[in-house]
Amino acid sequence: MANITGKTTMVGLIGYPVSHSISPPMHNAAFAELGIDWCYVPFPVPTEPNSRVGEAIHGLRALGFRGSNVTVPHKQNIIPFMDIVSTAVEAIGAVNTIRVEENGTFYGDNTDAPGFIRDLRDHDVEIESKNALVLGAGGSARAVVFGLADAGCSAITILNRTRSKAEELAATMQRFFPNCHLGSGSVSDDIQRYASDADLIVNTTSLGMTPNVDTTPWDESVAFHSDQTAYDLVYNPAQTRFLQKANRDGAKTINGLGMLVWQGAISLEIWTGLDAPSLAMFKAVRQAMADKDK
Ligand code: ATR
């Protein structure tokens, strides 16, 4: 536990619930590794009976916080409180990182997209001019599609249970990335049609996540092939049914643990201006997960 004094620099996490978040041990381990007097504290901010998220944001400034992470259910509804936002926020429609500037203004950014891309690069996955298939069209899919298009994917197809949401996401991202070909379809009807041409297939739905480990978004009559990469944003279990199938078919498989760490590492860099100690952050996350399983 950090030795908190009157000089300690504070950053927070605003969300609900936050009691099971792995971010506090991850960031506090990083501050310890860097040898800086910083502390990361989670704050539960419910939406019922009234959302106090505006008060929470203004409280950051009043209390001299350097910044905060933002998680469910506030990632979208805090945008109006920001003074400046990044292009990623404009396209994705969600903030997960706030920096309180020295003059008290709020800068809002989204590190989910670069965190995802950083993890792909960490696994030597090429993105430029590649063809991606994204399953799901919710908040995480928005970050994934933005990241892939921004990193130079030439084509991205979004398949979703509710086809209209996939169409809407493809149309939004097409406006930001006119040179990327964005398509959409139905996850139940169109996997067969798009699977074989995809270099990278990403599950952004929660299907397969503990405790629903028997569920999968993938049509298992469709085979992966060995030069494909399957990425599942789910990291608990470490190998979802989706990744197990991809692995059996010889594809490269990656779970979302690295994205979790890298989005945190990039947030830390936004607050501190220092290089994040990613190894210490991975170690802390693995330890926190093991402690949860006890
Ligand atoms: P997140 O922020 O994790 O992306 P979300 O915004 O609620 O969460 O999005 C959940 C995604 O998982 C959506 O694409 C959702 O499909 P719908 O848009 O049709 O709701 C998808 N999803 C959730 N449960 C699903 C299920 N049982 N089968 C197929 N897709 C599912």
Side-chain angles (χ1 to χ4, degrees):
M1 176 45 83
N3 184 20
I4 297 171
T5 71
K7 292 182 185 160
T8 303
T9 301
M10 302 294 292
V11 285
L13 168 66
I14 293 172
Y16 194 81
V18 290
S19 56
H20 292 95
S21 172
I22 286 173
S23 292
M26 175 172 76
H27 281 284
N28 288 318
F31 297 148
E33 179 73 14
L34 289 168
I36 58 176
D37 183 13
W38 285 56
C39 185
Y40 183 106
V41 187
F43 295 106
V45 180
T47 51
E48 301 287 338
N50 301 305
S51 177
R52 294 235 160 94
V53 73
E55 290 170 56
I57 302 291
H58 288 119
L60 294 173
R61 176 164 53 208
L63 297 172
F65 276 55
R66 187 66 55 88
S68 182
N69 277 141
V70 183
T71 188
V72 177
H74 299 304
K75 284 180 162 190
Q76 290 84 22
N77 55 29
I78 63 143
I79 293 179
F81 299 100
M82 299 295 104
D83 296 291
I84 299 175
V85 295
S86 63
T87 308
V89 169
E90 285 173 7
I92 297 166
V95 164
N96 81 332
T97 304
I98 301 171
R99 183 175 63 207
V100 185
E101 309 291 19
E102 285 191 5
N103 64 4
T105 56
F106 295 120
Y107 167 70
D109 207 340
N110 188 307
T111 67
D112 290 327
F116 171 65
I117 297 301
R118 183 62 206 262
D119 196 39
L120 285 177
R121 298 205 194 286
D122 217 26
H123 287 89
D124 297 319
V125 177
E126 282 185 37
I127 307 165
E128 291 77 12
S129 306
K130 297 294 181 188
N131 185 338
L133 185 58
V134 175
L135 310 178
S140 326
R142 298 186 83 84
V144 162
V145 172
F146 177 87
L148 291 172
D150 194 45
C153 255
S154 55
I156 305 172
T157 304
I158 304 158
L159 302 183
N160 196 40
R161 177 176 59 181
T162 311
R163 184 196 285 258
S164 58
K165 282 200 213 163
E167 287 168 359
E168 187 277 327
L169 177 53
T172 301
M173 291 300 167
Q174 190 71 77
R175 286 197 289 279
F176 282 86
F177 300 101
N179 296 328
C180 178
H181 181 271
L182 281 134
S184 59
S186 150
V187 77
S188 52
D189 299 341
D190 294 330
I191 283 184
Q192 177 98 47
R193 180 167 156 208
Y194 293 106
S196 66
D197 284 346
D199 301 298
L200 170 66
I201 300 164
V202 187
N203 174 39
T204 74
T205 77
S206 54
L207 293 176
M209 190 188 293
T210 302
N212 303 313
V213 294
D214 288 337
T215 58
T216 177
W218 194 252
D219 173 351
E220 291 186 341
S221 68
V222 178
F224 291 84
H225 53 80
S226 59
D227 44 9
Q228 290 178 318
T229 298
Y231 192 111
D232 201 328
L233 264 55
V234 175
Y235 54 83
N236 187 10
Q239 274 249 326
T240 56
R241 187 166 159 177
F242 168 73
L243 290 187
Q244 286 170 23
K245 163 73 176 157
N247 191 37
R248 277 199 305 277
D249 291 348
K252 178 171 183 157
T253 59
I254 309 170
N255 72 30
L257 191 80
M259 178 177 174
L260 169 74
V261 172
W262 285 115
Q263 62 77 30
I266 298 167
S267 293
L268 184 144
E269 293 179 355
I270 288 172
W271 298 320
T272 66
L274 302 172
D275 285 343
S278 56
L279 288 180
M281 296 175 85
F282 269 101
K283 190 173 162 203
V285 162
R286 292 204 170 94
Q287 184 63 51
M289 288 179 63
D291 290 348
K292 266 191 189 178
D293 290 342
K294 277 181 193 161

